[in-house]
Amino acid sequence: MSAGTLRHWLNAEAAASPFQAFAQRAWLGWLQLLRNPLGMIGLLIIVALLLVAAFAPVIASQSPYEQNLRNVLAPPSSEHLFGTDELGRDIFSRVVYGSRITLLIVLLVSVIVAPIGLLVGAVSGYLGGWVDVALMRLTDLFLAFPSLILALAFVAAMGPGLENAIIAISLTAWPQIARLARAETLTVRNSDYIAAVRLQGASPMRVVLRHVLPMCVPSVIIRVTLNMAGIILTAAGLGFLGLGAQPPSPEWGAMTSTGRRYMLDSWWLVTMPGLAILTVSLAFNLFGDALRDILDPRSS
Amino acid sequence: MIAVDDLVVSFGDDDEVKRAVDGIGFEVREGETFGLVGESGCGKSTVLRVLAGLNPSYDGRLRIAGRDIGPRRDKALMKSVQMVFQDPYGSLHPRQTVNAQLMEPLRIQGLDDAAGRVERALDAVGLGPAFRYRYPHQLSGGQRQRVAIARALILEPDVLLLDEPTSALDVSVQAEVLNLLADLKAAGGLTYVLVSHDLGVIAHMCDRLAVMTEGRIVEELDVQELVAGAARHPYTVTLLRASETYGEGGVPAATSETNEATIPEPRKT
Amino acid sequence: MHEPLLRVDGLHVSFRTHRGLVNAVRGVSFEVGREKVGIVGESGSGKSITGRSVMRLLPPAAEARANRLSFRDIDLLRASEKQMLDIRGGQIGLIMQDPKYSLNPVVRVGDQIAEAYRLHRGGNRKAARASAMAMLEAVKIRDPERVYRLYPHEVSGGMGQRIMIATMLLAEPDLLIADEPTSALDVTVRLEVLSILDELIETRGLGLIFISHDLNLVRAFCDRVLIMYAGRIVEELPASELEHARHPYTQGLLAALPRIHERRERLAVLQRDPDWLDGPTYR
């Protein structure tokens, strides 16, 4: 299909298939994103992060674990772009490989958090009654603790490590999503289109899964994207406290943690991974804001 | 077709119970169009929601197609009673295509030849196949209401409940939708219950009607009586006069009366 | 006829959208004196936008231009924002469809009326309160003392609309723009509100622009009717002669109305003619 016919297909007045209808919607969203420069910057950084993670072995100048005790704490130079750390490891390579860990955390947390939060919130909001009371008190319980403290407690109980850190972060992140999904559900559940499906004889589960959830998904996607920055920071915090990824893993938080002992003389140990954390969480925030403009039905 | 006896619907807490519907009864014959008229808050929409099964907390007896109906309904019964809502902008799922919204009832009820049924339903309400994969936001108010009617009729119900189906539409679109409803009924097998505040619409569509105010039916009459101006209950007469004043080019009666009254000028201090 | 209060000549309003420029109003001209002028049209005909252009209350994406848009001798298109603040609510009052959205939900209605009075007329609290009370009486609210202390959510639709009328009339404007003022009301309440509005307009000698989708309402209530279609006035005629409308669109609208005392098998369906878009205006 040539570019001209594709454009025509995307802008056609009447879609001829469900796929075309979907593609037209996506296309419109894309056009909207193009007009939002900050959102585009965010997206570009996220795409760059994905590429860096995918091609880490090609981009990194050496192995992130390779030590060189004769060249420790070397400042940034053409040979070591971001300098070297206390064991003579190339910081640039470590930051590049660290992106894989960050992405893994981001991915796993959203895969765990979004479905749990959505389901708990939608079921709670749609069914109401004692189900609602029980589920919402449970979320209150989780929300009552500062998320980092809660994560700390979990990791302390289960032992330090990347997997446990991910589980701990997920446990602290779902209640907000559940709250949001519940609020959305409450506005949707008395609408006529839900009444219409109930009239057709749909079971409550079908109503929730097929008709209520799709209405909550956009705001949840926005929320999760905006939360990403917080998740990355919590992961870095856990790493920094020695409770997340363990050395010698090139996790950004753990890197800043070990680097802080040399902070006064060798600023690059802390600054480089710190900048990486900053850039990526900023990117997720910018992209999340742009997504809100596109997906939020209230804005249009 | 439908028999309602001593129906009571209450809202509110124990200390402050409000009876939205206060012991009403009426019968709708098979194949007729029965109108429920009243002003906002009179309980007419609540009655319709009870008939639809959307409001399970009520007292009183309800019979549809010769069967006693409890608060819980089975799938077959749900299929036989469908509803068209007032607001065409709120009655279609904003994130589903027309096709998806028409397929859904067929899947729920497990009917065969879904694609063919969708095509025929769109055809019946005067929308071509071009509308099949559109989203609601790509449709005008009148087109949305046609989709809503198609969605209700695709299950081939016996009873169609119409809750102010045209009050959100322009006059010319209202005429099209009312004609469509009349045609669909003429095609056979349907009983309508039409709720409206508009006596013009009721007089045009209905065979018989009941006038409601404050949760009660104050008068039940044939449409011929309404047309001939033979309403007896004072409330019906008031309603009729109010509708006529701004209904058929009459001189506003109330204005000429009140012109005599003195109007207090604002005191200036 | 009196000297016209409002003169509109060749008003165009266009909106910038992502699909390009949309012309919502395309060359509308009319004058309003101390009389009741109805603007009738279906949704999207540009009737509300015409009303809002007069108040300069258009959304930022809209652009209005006209050969002339003047109130008395004030050029509304060139007036400063400060001047407009004085005109809006001061010399031109606006009554909207749903009073719920026009009243501040956390301030007692009486205080809102008094506030409006002080904004445009100055004076102390006591005087403002007395005028507010008198105005509530003027719109036939039986127990003004009680209503004065109510919050907007505690008043019914009809009462809310009377309060809106009271608020608007306190500043003693010369022109009122009412945009679907009774569409949200029940027929019996509508009758009361309209007769109050009618009375106040008659006794105070105001001009009124009555924007509505309801032909019958406008026919019964107004002196003169402008019919709008697709951003243009297609017909202008005295309300009493609406029955003899000549434009096929007006005729079609009238024929499409269901009537109480006249049963018809089918309602006439309006056949839209593309020629109406740029056809002549019947006057």
Side-chain angles (χ1 to χ4, degrees), chain A residues 223-243:
Chain A
R223 189 75 247 164
V224 167
T225 315
L226 287 173
N227 274 3
M228 249 355 131
I231 288 169
I232 291 169
L233 291 176
T234 312
L238 285 177
F240 182 83
L241 293 170
L243 295 169

Side-chain angles (χ1 to χ4, degrees), chain C residues 191-242:
Chain C
L191 209 60
E192 291 168 25
V193 170
L194 285 178
S195 70
I196 290 165
L197 189 63
D198 192 46
E199 233 175 73
L200 290 168
I201 286 169
E202 289 283 310
T203 50
R204 284 155 197 248
L206 308 183
L208 172 75
I209 299 179
F210 191 95
I211 299 168
S212 176
H213 69 280
D214 191 336
L215 257 179
N216 280 327
L217 186 65
V218 169
R219 153 159 64 183
F221 188 72
C222 296
D223 305 320
R224 204 148 55 86
V225 185
L226 312 172
I227 316 280
M228 280 190 76
Y229 177 75
R232 287 174 62 251
I233 295 175
V234 292
E235 182 154 19
E236 177 185 347
L237 71 175
S240 52
E241 283 171 35
L242 204 59

Side-chain angles (χ1 to χ4, degrees), chain B residues 106-216:
Chain B
L106 299 174
R107 287 209 196 95
I108 292 171
Q109 294 284 347
L111 297 179
D112 57 349
D113 186 26
R117 282 174 196 264
V118 170
E119 212 164 288
R120 287 195 296 277
L122 279 177
D123 209 43
V125 297
L127 296 173
F131 290 89
R132 189 160 171 180
Y133 296 106
R134 290 202 192 179
Y135 286 96
H137 69 88
Q138 294 169 305
L139 305 175
S140 70
Q143 289 166 346
R144 284 170 195 239
Q145 206 59 311
R146 284 168 191 265
V147 172
I149 293 170
R151 179 181 60 189
L153 289 181
I154 204 164
L155 288 179
E156 296 168 359
D158 304 314
V159 178
L160 191 60
L161 307 172
L162 302 158
D163 187 4
E164 306 257 14
T166 58
S167 70
L169 304 176
D170 279 323
V171 195
S172 60
V173 183
Q174 164 173 291
E176 291 171 17
V177 170
L178 291 181
N179 284 343
L180 170 67
L181 286 170
D183 293 346
L184 290 169
K185 186 151 168 286
L190 277 168
T191 304
Y192 285 169
V193 179
L194 171 65
V195 156
S196 180
H197 68 279
D198 188 333
L199 274 175
V201 171
I202 291 280
H204 176 73
M205 294 291 291
C206 297
D207 304 309
R208 284 189 313 125
L209 62 138
V211 182
M212 280 188 76
T213 181
E214 290 169 5
R216 290 171 185 277

Side-chain angles (χ1 to χ4, degrees), chain C residues 6-7 51-52 57 59 62 81 91-92 96 104 109 145 156 166-167 175 192 236 241 243 277:
Chain C
L6 181 77
R7 289 173 204 248
R52 282 169 175 270
L57 285 173
E81 201 43 44
Q91 300 176 50
I92 307 180
M96 304 219 271
N104 184 340
V109 292
E145 286 282 351
S156 65
T167 315
L175 181 67
E192 291 168 25
E236 177 185 347
E241 283 171 35
E243 208 57 55
L277 289 177

